[in-house]
Amino acid sequence: MQTREEELKGLGADFTFGFIQVMDGEKDPRNLLVAFRIVHDLISRDYSLGPFVEELFEVTSCYFPIDFTPPPNDPHGIQREDLILSLRAVLASTPRFAEFLLPLLIEKVDSEILSAKLDSLQTLNACCAVYGQKELKDFLPSLWASIRREVFQTASERVEADGLAALHSLTACLSRSVLRADAEDLLDSFLSNILQDCRHHLCEPDMKLVWPSAKLLQAAAGASARACDHITSNVLPLLLEQFHKHGQSNQRRTILEMILGFLKLHQKWSYEDKDERPLNGFKDQLCSLVFMALTDPSTQLQLVGIRTFTVLGAQPDLLSSGDLELAVGHLYRLSFLEEDSQSCRVAALEASGALAAVYPIAFSSYLVPKLAEELHKGELDLSRGDEPTKQSRHLRCLQALSAISTHPNIVKETLPLLLQHLCWMNKGTVVAETSEVIAVCQSLQQVAEKCQQDPESCWYFHQTAVPCLLALAVQASMPEKEHSVLRKVLLEDEVLAAMVSVIGTATTHLSPDLAAQSVAHIVPLFLDGNISFLPENSFPCRFQPFQDGSSGQRRLVALLMAFVCSLPRNVEIPQLNQLMRELVELSCCPSCPFSSTAAAKCFAGLLNKLPAGQQVDEFLQLAVDKVEAGLSPGPFRSQAFTLLLWVTKALVLRYHPLSSCLTDRLTGLLSDPELGPAAADGFSLLMSDCTDVLTRAGHAEVRLMFRQRFFTDNVPALVQGFHAASQDVKPNYLKGLSHVLNRLPKPVLLPELPTLLSLLLEALSCSDCVVQLSTLSCLQPLLLEAPQVMSLHVDTLVTKFLNLSSSPSMAVRIAALRCMHALTRLPTPVLLPYKPQVIRALAKPLDDKKRLVRKEAVSARGEWFLLGSPGS
Amino acid sequence: SIDAREIFDLIRSINDPEHPLTLEELNVVEQVRVQVSDPESTVAVAFTPTIPHCSMATLIGLSIKVKLLRSLPQRFKMDVHITPGTHASEHAVNKQLADKERVAAALE
């Protein structure tokens, strides 16, 4: 047929008849698959079927519904699904089968066998794609009766889903047909039929069949604009009335959820003419319903109310400004709900965000002023003293401000509010809590995230917030004018970290030109003390963080790091040489770990992004010299090590040729009596993702699969080092190794497992809790994924895990018990000999003094009891 | 220390033998009907069969007892019985559940 189509077609209907005779009685599944394909091609490629349409149908449909179980170890691998789909393609291939197929489907849908039901419904679904009104006309009442029966009576989700899908396709098919002026509108009568059978269930007082009816109506309504219009205009008045009739919150919730379902369907169709929109007539009633829901004491009903209003808001030109004003009032109230209505509060904030993007004017007129007032009230309260409820109200206010910042015009109002608030907190008269300052920074962070996608907002945020934050920080770092008890809240580690986050987020999405403008201000600020671009720039003394500046000034290097390490790749940094030298110097300064670490990170972040060449190598040499100098015995070892670690990470991420050299240096330090443990933890840093520097979001060069490469390049050395190491530093090697293994994707780890396993088992005997914990968390997934390999060591594993389940550390006990649970994945014959012993031993942790440990013990022991029992 | 809530958490998700629902969902077990004393190592669970002639009462009681036996420290004495007045043969069922040998035989 593929090569000689013309000739075969020339044979006319004889070919078709001949094939029917050949196919008749075929039983072999392999042949059937081919036969079905042939029939499909006969039809779709327009071969002449002559008078044999019904015969062709009979010879294929006798196999419907497919009842086939592949024999075990079938070499041909034919699945039931293959036959089902193949046959379905044939049956649904042409409208000419309709008169025969539809009665067959109606009959088979009623079958007791689940798979037959599903197959029939799915085939009906497929048919509707090719049939038209003409084919369906006579069968519509029966099809509807069958679908209705199945959906109402079924306990199976699949039957319900397929029934609804079939109804959807049927309605869509009917909606597609073009009407003659005098012809009966089949869609209309079909939908009227459905409505007649389903409407009254929606009004039942005990609401038993409410959901199946609603789902059927929604399935039909979702098929086309006409259907949607017809059904909703019929159903909505009914539901609106029901809502008022039923007084209980849970009943109202059900009704409102149904209404929501219908409203959502309207989002699919758009109407050019405003007056045509079917929802216009119901708008007032719907809004009044929603407002009733929002003021109901039941949280669940409020939630549905919020969702409904959001959907209404998404309809263009539906809501009036009066509606919006009322809604905003409710959302404001709901945003301040307390703990037990958390979900409602969160939903209200999300809804506010979604609606603010569409109705910025309404939100900036009605909501922003209220929030501003609340913020000022909070300021007054703060200056009087701390009260827990006032504090949480303050927090909610901040969250609301950031939630609604979804439109550029709103950002232009909320951002200044937040910044002013921060400035106010920093003034002399008030002692603000660290947590409150961090809360404001977090709000700023969220606004920054929302601004990232829109270039105009992004630049506005950056230009407004960054200089303001820098000015505040610089001011805080100045020596105090008078002796005051002003706490330098802004200079605390956590607050600076929060500000770093804001500045980073505000920088990553800048275009290169705008970023270049910004960098031309910020770098000279730090290198030369050039404060001219800051909003407030009268300071008592010079700002020179890199020179002899006070420790306060030095800490602000973290803010420089936040900016400069988030820049897009091709932005040129002015005075780069000088900057890198200063950073290296500062990184080895012993007095303040925060500053020296920030400097090391900044250096590393910049090094990672520079294009390969002489410049990079020179900076690298600079760092290496400093590291070597610092690592020799003296007071700078810790700082030098930190610099080494970060530079190594920067290189590892970009596959720089010298990364192996530095990694070897790091590995060597595992034996160092002073720095060994820090070196071990360093491996965790190398493998993890940071949030502030060397991030993909911050445009760092992070090569794909760097972890795998690191593993391959370095694990042999780690293993070797372990074997050669003295007893007291062996834990360092194990810790380092387990950090590397823990971060590796499983497919890479599994092939290496046999060689590593003996090492890991030895690690279990190590007395260091961190090593034990790390090894246990490494082993647990391996038990689940490589049971065969692990089986070889079952004896050791059982002994060690049981041992560790009495460890003094709770975390280790829990991890050990989880491993005992995971052990049950090993093949049963391997485990059965241990069953009695394990069950006895696991009785002890059932009485552990910690509840969490007891819980794991119950779970593990229960699994072991089930080993080898029938049905497991 | 072990409290009623912890015991309840152990038995609440046991499936009813006849329905696709848990004993908690069917109100067969409730936290208020769990009495436990950790210092004295005693626990008592009263369960309420769904109907007074429920033929599965012994089976349900046994499931509860087994779960507790497997999940509680061995020092505990366990008493699993039918909530008084809720079953036609509660005396007989309670007697079976209290009989250690019968329980052990059923577990085999």
Side-chain angles (χ1 to χ4, degrees), chain A residues 382 386 388 391-392 394-395 398 421-422 425 431-443 487 489-490 492 494-495 498:
Chain A
L382 266 180
D386 301 324
Q391 271 184 8
S392 78
H394 175 241
L395 185 60
L398 293 172
H421 187 65
L422 192 59
M425 277 179 147
V431 178
E433 289 279 333
T434 317
S435 57
E436 280 149 22
V437 177
I438 293 181
V440 181
C441 291
Q442 282 171 346
S443 261
R487 281 189 304 158
V489 172
L490 276 184
E492 287 182 29
E494 299 162 321
V495 177

mmCIF file of all heavy atoms in Angstrom, chain A residues 382 386 388 391-392 394-395 398 421-422 425 431-443 487 489-490 492 494-495 498:
data_model
loop_
_atom_site.group_PDB
_atom_site.id
_atom_site.type_symbol
_atom_site.label_atom_id
_atom_site.label_comp_id
_atom_site.label_asym_id
_atom_site.label_seq_id
_atom_site.Cartn_x
_atom_site.Cartn_y
_atom_site.Cartn_z
ATOM 1 N N LEU A 382 5.979 52.233 67.776
ATOM 2 C CA LEU A 382 7.333 51.729 67.989
ATOM 3 C C LEU A 382 8.112 52.649 68.904
ATOM 4 O O LEU A 382 8.886 52.222 69.749
ATOM 5 C CB LEU A 382 8.080 51.633 66.650
ATOM 6 C CG LEU A 382 8.046 50.300 65.925
ATOM 7 C CD1 LEU A 382 8.836 50.396 64.624
ATOM 8 C CD2 LEU A 382 8.632 49.194 66.778
ATOM 9 N N ASP A 386 7.518 48.325 72.749
ATOM 10 C CA ASP A 386 7.162 47.160 71.952
ATOM 11 C C ASP A 386 5.951 46.435 72.484
ATOM 12 O O ASP A 386 5.870 46.129 73.660
ATOM 13 C CB ASP A 386 8.328 46.145 71.958
ATOM 14 C CG ASP A 386 9.575 46.746 71.402
ATOM 15 O OD1 ASP A 386 9.458 47.536 70.465
ATOM 16 O OD2 ASP A 386 10.636 46.455 71.936
ATOM 17 N N PRO A 388 3.684 43.005 71.297
ATOM 18 C CA PRO A 388 3.725 41.934 70.282
ATOM 19 C C PRO A 388 2.673 42.080 69.196
ATOM 20 O O PRO A 388 2.955 41.901 68.031
ATOM 21 C CB PRO A 388 3.477 40.657 71.095
ATOM 22 C CG PRO A 388 3.870 41.015 72.480
ATOM 23 C CD PRO A 388 3.656 42.485 72.647
ATOM 24 N N GLN A 391 3.610 44.664 66.770
ATOM 25 C CA GLN A 391 4.719 44.253 65.915
ATOM 26 C C GLN A 391 4.238 43.423 64.753
ATOM 27 O O GLN A 391 4.678 43.599 63.625
ATOM 28 C CB GLN A 391 5.722 43.413 66.714
ATOM 29 C CG GLN A 391 6.780 44.220 67.382
ATOM 30 C CD GLN A 391 7.790 43.328 68.073
ATOM 31 O OE1 GLN A 391 7.763 42.111 67.916
ATOM 32 N NE2 GLN A 391 8.662 43.920 68.839
ATOM 33 N N SER A 392 3.289 42.500 65.050
ATOM 34 C CA SER A 392 2.854 41.648 63.941
ATOM 35 C C SER A 392 2.015 42.462 62.972
ATOM 36 O O SER A 392 2.020 42.215 61.772
ATOM 37 C CB SER A 392 2.088 40.433 64.458
ATOM 38 O OG SER A 392 0.787 40.790 64.795
ATOM 39 N N HIS A 394 2.580 45.523 62.222
ATOM 40 C CA HIS A 394 3.581 46.232 61.438
ATOM 41 C C HIS A 394 4.102 45.325 60.317
ATOM 42 O O HIS A 394 4.233 45.743 59.159
ATOM 43 C CB HIS A 394 4.708 46.643 62.397
ATOM 44 C CG HIS A 394 5.876 47.279 61.740
ATOM 45 N ND1 HIS A 394 7.138 46.739 61.793
ATOM 46 C CD2 HIS A 394 6.005 48.411 61.005
ATOM 47 C CE1 HIS A 394 7.976 47.513 61.146
ATOM 48 N NE2 HIS A 394 7.318 48.533 60.663
ATOM 49 N N LEU A 395 4.356 44.075 60.685
ATOM 50 C CA LEU A 395 4.856 43.109 59.708
ATOM 51 C C LEU A 395 3.850 42.891 58.587
ATOM 52 O O LEU A 395 4.194 42.886 57.401
ATOM 53 C CB LEU A 395 5.136 41.793 60.430
ATOM 54 C CG LEU A 395 5.774 40.677 59.624
ATOM 55 C CD1 LEU A 395 7.116 41.113 59.095
ATOM 56 C CD2 LEU A 395 5.952 39.439 60.505
ATOM 57 N N LEU A 398 3.858 45.692 56.121
ATOM 58 C CA LEU A 398 4.966 45.626 55.182
ATOM 59 C C LEU A 398 4.698 44.590 54.091
ATOM 60 O O LEU A 398 4.987 44.812 52.911
ATOM 61 C CB LEU A 398 6.254 45.256 55.919
ATOM 62 C CG LEU A 398 6.797 46.296 56.901
ATOM 63 C CD1 LEU A 398 7.958 45.701 57.689
ATOM 64 C CD2 LEU A 398 7.258 47.540 56.172
ATOM 65 N N HIS A 421 10.328 54.762 55.561
ATOM 66 C CA HIS A 421 10.147 54.048 56.827
ATOM 67 C C HIS A 421 11.487 53.572 57.363
ATOM 68 O O HIS A 421 11.778 53.688 58.556
ATOM 69 C CB HIS A 421 9.202 52.879 56.599
ATOM 70 C CG HIS A 421 8.800 52.178 57.850
ATOM 71 N ND1 HIS A 421 8.057 52.778 58.844
ATOM 72 C CD2 HIS A 421 9.044 50.927 58.285
ATOM 73 C CE1 HIS A 421 7.856 51.929 59.827
ATOM 74 N NE2 HIS A 421 8.451 50.786 59.514
ATOM 75 N N LEU A 422 12.294 53.057 56.473
ATOM 76 C CA LEU A 422 13.608 52.573 56.876
ATOM 77 C C LEU A 422 14.456 53.723 57.397
ATOM 78 O O LEU A 422 15.135 53.610 58.422
ATOM 79 C CB LEU A 422 14.293 51.895 55.697
ATOM 80 C CG LEU A 422 15.537 51.081 55.985
ATOM 81 C CD1 LEU A 422 15.233 49.965 56.955
ATOM 82 C CD2 LEU A 422 16.101 50.503 54.696
ATOM 83 N N MET A 425 13.438 54.670 60.771
ATOM 84 C CA MET A 425 13.879 53.720 61.793
ATOM 85 C C MET A 425 15.309 53.983 62.213
ATOM 86 O O MET A 425 15.731 53.599 63.302
ATOM 87 C CB MET A 425 13.818 52.299 61.247
ATOM 88 C CG MET A 425 12.475 51.673 61.324
ATOM 89 S SD MET A 425 12.586 50.029 60.610
ATOM 90 C CE MET A 425 11.431 49.187 61.586
ATOM 91 N N VAL A 431 15.011 53.343 68.924
ATOM 92 C CA VAL A 431 15.856 52.154 68.906
ATOM 93 C C VAL A 431 15.062 51.041 68.238
ATOM 94 O O VAL A 431 14.178 50.443 68.834
ATOM 95 C CB VAL A 431 16.220 51.745 70.350
ATOM 96 C CG1 VAL A 431 17.046 50.481 70.332
ATOM 97 C CG2 VAL A 431 16.971 52.856 71.025
ATOM 98 N N ALA A 432 15.357 50.808 66.993
ATOM 99 C CA ALA A 432 14.581 49.799 66.259
ATOM 100 C C ALA A 432 15.194 48.419 66.454
ATOM 101 O O ALA A 432 16.395 48.265 66.504
ATOM 102 C CB ALA A 432 14.562 50.151 64.771
ATOM 103 N N GLU A 433 14.316 47.429 66.531
ATOM 104 C CA GLU A 433 14.777 46.041 66.655
ATOM 105 C C GLU A 433 15.379 45.557 65.348
ATOM 106 O O GLU A 433 14.911 45.923 64.282
ATOM 107 C CB GLU A 433 13.586 45.144 66.985
ATOM 108 C CG GLU A 433 13.035 45.303 68.370
ATOM 109 C CD GLU A 433 13.868 44.514 69.370
ATOM 110 O OE1 GLU A 433 14.483 43.514 68.945
ATOM 111 O OE2 GLU A 433 13.906 44.922 70.532
ATOM 112 N N THR A 434 16.373 44.693 65.482
ATOM 113 C CA THR A 434 16.984 44.102 64.277
ATOM 114 C C THR A 434 15.932 43.428 63.407
ATOM 115 O O THR A 434 15.920 43.596 62.184
ATOM 116 C CB THR A 434 18.014 43.038 64.678
ATOM 117 O OG1 THR A 434 18.774 43.527 65.771
ATOM 118 C CG2 THR A 434 18.922 42.701 63.541
ATOM 119 N N SER A 435 15.034 42.706 64.056
ATOM 120 C CA SER A 435 14.046 41.942 63.287
ATOM 121 C C SER A 435 13.147 42.846 62.468
ATOM 122 O O SER A 435 12.737 42.503 61.359
ATOM 123 C CB SER A 435 13.200 41.079 64.217
ATOM 124 O OG SER A 435 12.583 41.898 65.178
ATOM 125 N N GLU A 436 12.852 44.034 63.012
ATOM 126 C CA GLU A 436 11.978 44.940 62.270
ATOM 127 C C GLU A 436 12.695 45.513 61.053
ATOM 128 O O GLU A 436 12.096 45.651 59.981
ATOM 129 C CB GLU A 436 11.495 46.059 63.181
ATOM 130 C CG GLU A 436 10.341 45.597 64.054
ATOM 131 C CD GLU A 436 10.317 46.307 65.390
ATOM 132 O OE1 GLU A 436 10.896 47.411 65.476
ATOM 133 O OE2 GLU A 436 9.737 45.738 66.324
ATOM 134 N N VAL A 437 13.950 45.854 61.230
ATOM 135 C CA VAL A 437 14.698 46.378 60.087
ATOM 136 C C VAL A 437 14.806 45.306 59.010
ATOM 137 O O VAL A 437 14.648 45.581 57.817
ATOM 138 C CB VAL A 437 16.099 46.856 60.526
ATOM 139 C CG1 VAL A 437 16.895 47.319 59.339
ATOM 140 C CG2 VAL A 437 15.979 47.962 61.555
ATOM 141 N N ILE A 438 15.068 44.079 59.442
ATOM 142 C CA ILE A 438 15.161 42.987 58.469
ATOM 143 C C ILE A 438 13.831 42.804 57.746
ATOM 144 O O ILE A 438 13.794 42.543 56.537
ATOM 145 C CB ILE A 438 15.593 41.683 59.158
ATOM 146 C CG1 ILE A 438 17.023 41.834 59.668
ATOM 147 C CG2 ILE A 438 15.488 40.504 58.223
ATOM 148 C CD1 ILE A 438 17.568 40.599 60.339
ATOM 149 N N ALA A 439 12.725 42.980 58.486
ATOM 150 C CA ALA A 439 11.404 42.826 57.854
ATOM 151 C C ALA A 439 11.230 43.835 56.731
ATOM 152 O O ALA A 439 10.701 43.515 55.663
ATOM 153 C CB ALA A 439 10.308 42.971 58.890
ATOM 154 N N VAL A 440 11.665 45.070 56.963
ATOM 155 C CA VAL A 440 11.537 46.082 55.907
ATOM 156 C C VAL A 440 12.404 45.683 54.714
ATOM 157 O O VAL A 440 11.983 45.796 53.557
ATOM 158 C CB VAL A 440 11.948 47.471 56.421
ATOM 159 C CG1 VAL A 440 11.781 48.501 55.328
ATOM 160 C CG2 VAL A 440 11.125 47.863 57.634
ATOM 161 N N CYS A 441 13.617 45.214 55.004
ATOM 162 C CA CYS A 441 14.492 44.792 53.904
ATOM 163 C C CYS A 441 13.871 43.651 53.112
ATOM 164 O O CYS A 441 13.970 43.613 51.886
ATOM 165 C CB CYS A 441 15.857 44.375 54.436
ATOM 166 S SG CYS A 441 16.814 45.740 55.089
ATOM 167 N N GLN A 442 13.224 42.741 53.804
ATOM 168 C CA GLN A 442 12.600 41.625 53.091
ATOM 169 C C GLN A 442 11.473 42.115 52.190
ATOM 170 O O GLN A 442 11.278 41.617 51.089
ATOM 171 C CB GLN A 442 12.074 40.582 54.075
ATOM 172 C CG GLN A 442 13.178 39.715 54.613
ATOM 173 C CD GLN A 442 12.729 38.830 55.753
ATOM 174 O OE1 GLN A 442 11.647 39.025 56.329
ATOM 175 N NE2 GLN A 442 13.552 37.867 56.100
ATOM 176 N N SER A 443 10.739 43.088 52.685
ATOM 177 C CA SER A 443 9.700 43.680 51.841
ATOM 178 C C SER A 443 10.308 44.316 50.607
ATOM 179 O O SER A 443 9.797 44.169 49.495
ATOM 180 C CB SER A 443 8.950 44.757 52.609
ATOM 181 O OG SER A 443 7.759 44.250 53.108
ATOM 182 N N ARG A 487 22.103 52.141 68.699
ATOM 183 C CA ARG A 487 22.664 50.859 68.293
ATOM 184 C C ARG A 487 22.855 50.846 66.793
ATOM 185 O O ARG A 487 21.988 51.270 66.051
ATOM 186 C CB ARG A 487 21.726 49.708 68.678
ATOM 187 C CG ARG A 487 21.816 49.344 70.127
ATOM 188 C CD ARG A 487 21.043 48.075 70.380
ATOM 189 N NE ARG A 487 19.665 48.176 69.945
ATOM 190 C CZ ARG A 487 18.910 47.128 69.656
ATOM 191 N NH1 ARG A 487 19.400 45.922 69.752
ATOM 192 N NH2 ARG A 487 17.660 47.289 69.271
ATOM 193 N N VAL A 489 22.235 49.268 64.385
ATOM 194 C CA VAL A 489 21.471 48.115 63.878
ATOM 195 C C VAL A 489 21.817 47.806 62.433
ATOM 196 O O VAL A 489 21.941 46.664 62.023
ATOM 197 C CB VAL A 489 19.954 48.401 64.013
ATOM 198 C CG1 VAL A 489 19.146 47.320 63.335
ATOM 199 C CG2 VAL A 489 19.574 48.512 65.469
ATOM 200 N N LEU A 490 21.967 48.856 61.674
ATOM 201 C CA LEU A 490 22.208 48.646 60.251
ATOM 202 C C LEU A 490 23.511 47.920 59.964
ATOM 203 O O LEU A 490 23.687 47.379 58.883
ATOM 204 C CB LEU A 490 22.234 49.988 59.511
ATOM 205 C CG LEU A 490 20.883 50.550 59.110
ATOM 206 C CD1 LEU A 490 21.083 51.819 58.320
ATOM 207 C CD2 LEU A 490 20.092 49.563 58.274
ATOM 208 N N GLU A 492 24.696 45.380 61.681
ATOM 209 C CA GLU A 492 24.746 44.000 62.153
ATOM 210 C C GLU A 492 24.770 43.034 60.977
ATOM 211 O O GLU A 492 24.225 43.324 59.909
ATOM 212 C CB GLU A 492 23.551 43.715 63.051
ATOM 213 C CG GLU A 492 23.704 44.391 64.400
ATOM 214 C CD GLU A 492 22.551 44.075 65.322
ATOM 215 O OE1 GLU A 492 21.967 42.975 65.180
ATOM 216 O OE2 GLU A 492 22.244 44.930 66.153
ATOM 217 N N GLU A 494 23.213 40.297 60.204
ATOM 218 C CA GLU A 494 21.970 39.855 59.551
ATOM 219 C C GLU A 494 21.323 40.960 58.743
ATOM 220 O O GLU A 494 20.733 40.713 57.686
ATOM 221 C CB GLU A 494 20.957 39.410 60.596
ATOM 222 C CG GLU A 494 21.418 38.252 61.431
ATOM 223 C CD GLU A 494 20.579 38.163 62.692
ATOM 224 O OE1 GLU A 494 20.245 39.225 63.267
ATOM 225 O OE2 GLU A 494 20.270 37.046 63.088
ATOM 226 N N VAL A 495 21.413 42.184 59.257
ATOM 227 C CA VAL A 495 20.782 43.292 58.531
ATOM 228 C C VAL A 495 21.539 43.543 57.237
ATOM 229 O O VAL A 495 20.954 43.745 56.177
ATOM 230 C CB VAL A 495 20.737 44.565 59.397
ATOM 231 C CG1 VAL A 495 20.162 45.708 58.610
ATOM 232 C CG2 VAL A 495 19.924 44.307 60.647
ATOM 233 N N ALA A 498 20.575 41.088 54.739
ATOM 234 C CA ALA A 498 19.274 41.386 54.126
ATOM 235 C C ALA A 498 19.425 42.469 53.066
ATOM 236 O O ALA A 498 18.819 42.407 51.991
ATOM 237 C CB ALA A 498 18.274 41.808 55.193
#
